[in-house]
């Protein structure tokens, strides 16, 4: 058997391979938005690395998908949070306004059930006075539900 010689690797390609492997490890754990993945990888990229080319390659291969990220983020939060909070989360992750508008429209369709579930999990009974009502409204607004929807929900729940 003939001994193998160690391969000489270009240091630049080794760094690029390390960056690629790091990106794949991040994407294997969960979906990421393009901006989020860029931010996480930028700390490990050298000046000469073409991070955008790597992200373009991942998008072309289907490994990086903004649509999948939005779907996953909405699915994970829709049962506990309202459309305003979900939209804020997506903006923080660098998602475009058009995709956010589509996602929020879907969330608003199931908003009543999510609002009811959040209210039941925290309170479960109607407010006895105005101070308690204000407390419940603030809590539900903090969860990202519009004040109009919260007040309508409390009004309807009181009529039952």
């Amino acid at each position: 058997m003939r001994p193998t010689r160690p391969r000489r690797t270009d240091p630049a390609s080794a760094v690029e391979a390390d960056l690629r492997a790091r990106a794949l490890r991040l994407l294997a754990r969960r979906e990421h938005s393009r901006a989020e993945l860029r931010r996480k990888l930028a700390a490990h990229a050298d000046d000469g690395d073409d991070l955008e080319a790597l992200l373009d390659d991942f998008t072309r291969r289907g490994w990086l998908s903004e649509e999948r990220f939005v779907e996953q983020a909405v699915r994970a939060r829709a049962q506990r949070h309202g459309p305003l909070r979900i939209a804020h989360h997506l903006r923080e992750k660098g998602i475009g306004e058009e995709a956010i508008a589509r996602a929020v429209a879907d969330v608003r369709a199931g908003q009543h059930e999510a609002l009811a579930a959040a209210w039941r999990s925290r309170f479960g009974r109607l407010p006895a006075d105005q101070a308690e009502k204000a407390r419940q409204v603030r809590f539900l607004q903090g969860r990202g539900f519009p004040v109009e929807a919260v007040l309508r929900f409390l009004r309807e729940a009181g009529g039952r």
Side-chain angles (χ1 to χ4, degrees):
M1 193 155 135
R2 202 167 113 194
T4 59
R5 290 189 343 215
R7 272 190 209 173
R8 292 184 187 190
T9 59
D10 180 21
S13 66
V15 170
E16 185 178 322
D18 179 50
L19 199 59
R20 184 179 210 73
R22 184 179 299 275
L24 286 173
R25 280 194 306 273
L26 289 168
L27 289 171
R29 290 186 190 121
R30 70 170 177 84
E31 294 292 336
H32 286 70
S33 69
R34 184 180 181 100
E36 182 181 24
L37 190 60
R38 180 187 307 113
R39 181 185 53 77
K40 287 183 177 184
L41 294 175
H44 304 282
D46 290 336
D47 290 336
D49 293 337
D50 195 0
L51 189 53
E52 290 303 317
L54 178 70
L55 296 175
D56 288 341
D57 181 44
F58 277 30
T59 302
R60 206 173 23 262
R61 293 173 185 254
W63 297 344
L64 178 64
S65 170
E66 297 268 327
E67 293 81 23
R68 271 196 323 263
F69 173 77
V70 170
E71 288 172 12
Q72 182 271 330
V74 168
R75 203 172 32 252
R77 286 168 176 74
Q79 293 303 313
R80 296 179 36 208
H81 299 289
L84 302 175
R85 180 117 177 231
I86 291 171
H88 178 73
H89 171 73
L90 294 174
R91 275 188 200 95
E92 281 183 334
K93 299 299 180 178
I95 302 299
E97 288 301 318
E98 188 175 308
I100 291 173
R102 283 193 305 270
V104 166
D106 294 341
V107 171
R108 285 191 193 278
Q111 173 177 278
H112 186 75
E113 293 81 20
L115 178 57
W119 178 79
R120 269 193 311 274
S121 73
R122 179 66 181 238
F123 302 107
R125 61 184 174 82
L126 290 171
D129 57 11
Q130 286 300 318
E132 176 65 17
K133 181 178 181 179
R135 190 171 147 259
Q136 289 185 12
V137 169
R138 277 192 311 272
F139 171 79
L140 293 168
Q141 277 187 291
R143 285 286 178 101
F145 295 102
V147 70
E148 307 86 32
V150 172
L151 294 174
R152 185 174 46 251
F153 170 79
L154 290 175
R155 213 175 20 254
E156 290 171 1
R160 292 183 200 170

